[in-house]
Amino acid sequence: MGVEQLLLVGLVMALGVVGVLVPGVPGRWLVWAAMLWWALHELSALAWTLLVAATALLLVDQVVVWLLPSRRIRGTGISPRVAACAGLGAVAGFVVLPVAGAIPGFIGGIYATERHRLGGHGPAMASTRAVMRGAGTSLLVELFACLLVVGAWLGAVIWG
């Protein structure tokens, strides 16, 4: 697979990760489709193993999100700015502390946005809890699964 195709696969995966945070965009399926595209062109045991693992992970992720209490993003006070900061925090946390850093990064992104908006620790913590109860947990679960798939793909491309 050439550099141009690897960049396109990476771009589709990045769009999928961003799509998780945008209501109505099938983010997890964009990530999966990019992984499928890569595996079909790579034709190696590592590529097929990652495709099978990504498929299983994203299916389990979908079931977990369905089992979480259904909550709507609109009524919870999650603005596009909060979602963007939470997503950036999760990606930064995933890079700084691989895999495990996405969770505190996501919550930290929400807290930082709310702290800036509300001005104090107490109100920011209360707002962060409300956002996480509202729809943040399902967003975090879906984003974390997509970040795991993207991280595995990056690892395979760089070291495999």
Side-chain angles (χ1 to χ4, degrees), residues 60-73:
V60 167
D61 168 62
Q62 188 163 7
V63 169
V64 168
V65 169
W66 283 340
L67 291 176
L68 288 171
S70 65
R71 307 240 168 106
R72 302 273 183 230
I73 290 178

Side-chain angles (χ1 to χ4, degrees), residues 21 73 76-93 101-141 143:
L21 302 170
I73 290 178
T76 61
I78 298 178
S79 67
R81 182 177 179 189
V82 171
C85 288
L88 287 174
V91 170
I103 295 169
F106 184 86
I107 296 169
I110 295 171
Y111 174 78
T113 305
E114 294 301 299
R115 175 85 187 239
H116 181 337
R117 184 175 69 89
L118 299 172
H121 174 71
M125 284 299 293
S127 180
T128 301
R129 274 189 236 105
V131 167
M132 286 303 292
R133 274 190 223 112
T137 306
S138 61
L139 279 175
L140 177 60
V141 168
L143 183 64

Side-chain angles (χ1 to χ4, degrees), residues 37-61:
W37 179 18
W38 174 72
L40 288 174
H41 285 85
E42 192 64 29
L43 297 175
S44 68
L46 176 63
W48 289 108
T49 302
L50 282 178
L51 178 63
V52 168
T55 303
L57 176 67
L58 292 174
L59 286 174
V60 167
D61 168 62

